Amino acid sequence: MYSEKVMDHFQNPRNMGEVENPDGVGEVGNPQCGDVMRITIKVDEKEDRIEDVKFKTLGCGAAIATSSMVTELAKGKRLDEAEEISKKVVADALGGLPPQKMHCSNLASDGLKKAIEDYRSRHGN
Amino acid sequence: MQKAIFLDNAATTRTGAGVVKAMQPWLEQNFGSPATLYSLGSQAKQAIEDARQSLAGLIGAEAKDIFFTSGATESNNWAIKGVAEALAEKGRHIITNQAEHHSILMPLRYLEKKGWDISYLPVDGDGLVDPDAISAAIRPDTVLITTVHANHEIGTIQPVAEIGRIAAEKKIAFHVNAAQTVGHIPVDVNSLGAHLLSISGHKFYGPKGVGALYLKRGVRITPLFHGGSQEKKRRAGTHNVPGIVGIGEAARIARNSMDAEIEKLSGLRDYIFAWVEKNIEDIRINGHRTRRLPNNVNFSLEGIEGESIMLSLSYPTAEGARPVFISTGSACVSGNLEPSHILLALGLPAELAHGSVRISMAKEDTREDIDYALEAIAAVAERLRNMSPVYKRGDKKCTAFDKSAGCDCEAAS
């Protein structure tokens, strides 16, 4: 049911954990629905770039794989570029997701956007 | 790939070697339809009657009261729709409970849309139905009471005989879904007071695609399938001869092996409960601890989700690791994005239903395999909890769970 890429990211997640003293934190989802993601970022202020990004995720295989993929896609990107990472971009990078997983478990890009918003609100721009 | 450890026997079992052997001649050589008069047909007819006798013997019934079907889903549909239709003039009220299998609940919802009134009684925190609540729910227009014998997900065994006595006293038809119990624990239609009882072949080492409905003489029921005159005109369609031979053989084997299976598997079950309670933190056992199927274990793990547990176990990454197959009540595998309605009926908060694990054993399982699976589950739980943003060790949060005295969540607060 899952692509090889999804299984790879599920079994060997990239950037799992929490960034120390994060500049931005984004949490999305709800344990009642079975999916919660927490994205933490470190931002290079001068370059406006994501220096480091990590995730922690409660959820199904797709939830964990999309979280892992979003951190790979975001790492090193400028904030405005990282904000362009959509659910579709994440799913495509994973070689597709089963239709029922597109909405409920593909929240990682929202988590990343929230972390960027959080960074911006803390830095007043 | 290393040999997998299959612990999902409540879903389906491996067809026994003896069963396969018994079925084989009826596929290739003796393929005739029992409805025909030439010798190829009459041999098949005899084989069916032998199987009927064997299955009847397993449940304390008379052979003539056994009707072969395609499985428990058909038997349940037939029992519910057939009795409802036959007794529609008498009344249109049916009593069941919230923790039933979908093959009970969906036919009832179908009837509901057509004007029947269904009482879905609550169950307690262990999944037990209260017979007094059934008594209280009975009305003059009640025509059927249906209950599962043992729940497929949490293994809880219902007080069926007690409900049967109530049904007999009020002269109401009583249907028992015994898909999980026939062949595994003693089932006696008379002591249970069942008028109708559903049986599934593949749940007790028989083949898939065959089952039966026990129909006590005198029960009024319309057929589900209309057509030829098979099964005394009550279930049309050419007999599944190999399947029927297979379920008959599975029943014969079960009569001989049941006592040993119960002793072995209830021992393993209690061993697993003790092991997980000792070795995995923040779990909750689901279902009744003792009034329970010998082969069923179900527990919830705080802070993680069932599909990721199931996937991690079935696709282990370590070299030489054995896949372990279990099941979960998580929404992610349900197909309807809802967590198990059975765990919710117990009063579990959704997050604990998502994080549930069901282990269901087979008679050939060994202590070595179980130990391997338990270590694998503990390792997966540890890994996923490290990944979880909500899990905090020792911090049980199931505050919504106030239905059962069995929840010890407040201990950690």
Side-chain angles (χ1 to χ4, degrees), chain A residues 29-119:
Chain A
N30 177 338
Q32 293 231 321
C33 311
D35 290 307
V36 184
M37 291 165 200
R38 184 180 159 87
I39 306 269
T40 47
I41 55 171
K42 193 92 199 158
V43 177
D44 178 336
E45 251 179 87
K46 261 189 277 172
E47 300 235 348
D48 213 26
R49 223 174 258 285
I50 295 183
E51 202 180 295
D52 199 7
V53 49
K54 286 192 159 38
F55 80 90
K56 277 199 139 186
T57 291
L58 154 75
C60 63
I64 289 168
T66 53
S67 305
S68 166
M69 180 50 89
V70 102
T71 61
E72 269 211 329
L73 292 171
K75 213 171 193 173
K77 283 220 167 60
R78 277 207 327 271
L79 293 184
D80 56 335
E81 291 171 337
E83 281 176 308
E84 295 295 304
I85 300 170
S86 63
K87 288 182 202 279
K88 190 174 177 312
V89 168
V90 176
D92 288 350
L94 285 166
L97 283 177
Q100 77 273 20
K101 300 284 183 186
M102 266 311 275
H103 297 289
C104 72
S105 307
N106 189 0
L107 301 170
S109 52
D110 293 343
L112 176 65
K113 284 191 190 84
K114 261 196 152 171
I116 295 171
E117 267 171 44
D118 180 47
Y119 163 75

Side-chain angles (χ1 to χ4, degrees), chain B residues 344-385:
Chain B
L344 297 182
L346 303 184
L348 250 71
E351 51 265 48
L352 278 185
H354 289 302
S356 71
V357 164
R358 179 186 71 185
I359 296 171
S360 49
M361 296 173 283
K363 59 183 173 185
E364 67 265 23
D365 286 337
T366 63
R367 170 76 181 269
E368 289 71 33
D369 283 0
I370 295 296
D371 278 330
Y372 188 96
L374 289 173
E375 296 286 352
I377 290 168
V380 163
E382 180 71 18
R383 173 175 174 273
L384 292 174
R385 280 174 167 175

Side-chain angles (χ1 to χ4, degrees), chain B residues 107-120:
Chain B
L108 289 173
R109 297 232 174 101
Y110 168 83
L111 287 178
E112 223 171 355
K113 280 191 199 143
K114 293 188 164 277
W116 270 262
D117 195 8
I118 318 294
S119 295
Y120 301 95

Side-chain angles (χ1 to χ4, degrees), chain B residues 36 65 100 121 133 168 180 227 253 303-304 340-341 406 410:
Chain B
T36 54
D65 294 339
E100 289 292 328
L121 300 181
Q180 291 291 338
I253 294 168
I304 50 181
S340 155
H341 69 279
E410 58 279 1

Side-chain angles (χ1 to χ4, degrees), chain B residues 6-306:
Chain B
F6 183 83
L7 296 174
D8 197 15
N9 289 281
T12 195
T13 56
R14 181 198 304 277
T15 312
V19 172
V20 173
K21 200 165 163 233
M23 289 170 69
Q24 252 154 6
W26 303 96
L27 288 158
E28 263 190 288
Q29 295 108 47
N30 307 331
F31 58 87
S33 167
T36 54
L37 291 175
Y38 40 74
S39 64
L40 208 54
S42 56
Q43 284 165 10
K45 193 167 186 333
Q46 188 54 50
I48 287 173
E49 294 320 312
D50 291 347
R52 201 186 306 278
Q53 191 71 52
S54 169
L55 193 55
L58 183 64
I59 61 167
E62 287 185 50
K64 63 178 176 45
D65 294 339
I66 300 287
F67 294 82
F68 288 112
T69 67
S70 62
T73 291
E74 183 192 328
S75 297
N76 290 339
N77 269 268
W78 182 17
I80 289 169
K81 294 174 191 169
V83 169
E85 203 184 343
L87 301 179
E89 299 296 309
K90 189 176 167 225
R92 297 190 176 208
H93 177 238
I94 297 174
I95 299 172
T96 189
N97 71 80
Q98 294 164 3
E100 289 292 328
H101 192 268
H102 280 134
S103 62
I104 296 289
L105 294 177
M106 294 305 152
L108 289 173
R109 297 232 174 101
Y110 168 83
L111 287 178
E112 223 171 355
K113 280 191 199 143
K114 293 188 164 277
W116 270 262
D117 195 8
I118 318 294
S119 295
Y120 301 95
L121 300 181
V123 293
D124 73 7
D126 288 330
L128 285 169
V129 183
D130 177 6
D132 290 341
I134 291 181
S135 273
I138 292 173
R139 316 190 309 211
D141 61 340
T142 305
V143 289
L144 178 68
I145 299 170
T146 175
T147 183
V148 76
H149 188 189
N151 187 285
H152 64 283
E153 194 163 329
I154 53 171
T156 297
I157 298 170
Q158 298 293 354
V160 173
E162 223 175 306
I163 301 167
R165 280 194 291 277
I166 293 165
E169 196 181 301
K170 303 276 182 173
K171 296 194 166 52
I172 296 168
F174 181 40
H175 168 245
V176 177
N177 174 14
Q180 291 291 338
T181 51
V182 168
H184 293 289
I185 61 173
V187 173
D188 182 85
V189 289
N190 296 309
S191 56
L192 293 178
H195 302 121
L196 308 95
L197 185 134
S198 299
I199 301 168
S200 167
H202 73 109
K203 304 286 192 188
F204 65 104
Y205 318 110
K208 292 165 185 64
V210 68
L213 183 64
Y214 160 77
L215 276 180
K216 193 183 167 91
R217 219 177 71 147
V219 168
R220 288 175 60 198
I221 186 167
T222 57
L224 194 61
F225 293 178
H226 298 85
S229 59
Q230 291 90 352
E231 299 295 276
K232 293 182 251 175
K233 296 187 185 166
R234 295 182 115 167
R235 201 278 188 181
T238 297
H239 286 98
N240 170 6
V241 181
I244 291 169
V245 168
I247 197 175
E249 180 64 7
R252 191 189 67 75
I253 294 168
R255 284 177 85 172
N256 296 324
S257 62
M258 186 184 293
D259 291 347
E261 177 177 338
I262 292 171
E263 197 186 329
K264 176 182 172 184
L265 295 187
S266 48
L268 279 175
R269 175 196 68 195
D270 296 340
Y271 168 73
I272 296 174
F273 279 139
W275 196 95
V276 294
E277 285 185 313
K278 179 163 175 266
N279 294 290
I280 308 179
E281 287 174 285
D282 303 324
I283 62 158
R284 179 191 190 275
I285 307 283
N286 299 318
H288 199 282
R289 284 298 281 260
T290 51
R291 292 170 70 168
R292 184 177 195 109
L293 285 172
N295 78 336
N296 175 291
V297 168
N298 191 310
F299 56 91
S300 291
L301 294 136
E302 291 269 349
I304 50 181
E305 185 278 331

Side-chain angles (χ1 to χ4, degrees), chain B residues 381-402:
Chain B
E382 180 71 18
R383 173 175 174 273
L384 292 174
R385 280 174 167 175
N386 281 334
M387 215 185 279
S388 169
V390 301
Y391 177 69
K392 291 191 185 74
R393 201 166 298 280
D395 174 27
K396 286 195 179 180
K397 287 185 299 300
C398 53
T399 45
F401 193 85
D402 53 7

Side-chain angles (χ1 to χ4, degrees), chain B residues 317-362:
Chain B
T317 48
E319 201 171 323
R322 298 174 68 185
V324 176
F325 299 146
I326 51 101
S327 133
T328 168
S330 167
C332 294
V333 297
S334 71
N336 62 7
L337 301 179
E338 292 287 328
S340 155
H341 69 279
I342 291 163
L343 296 176
L344 297 182
L346 303 184
L348 250 71
E351 51 265 48
L352 278 185
H354 289 302
S356 71
V357 164
R358 179 186 71 185
I359 296 171
S360 49
M361 296 173 283

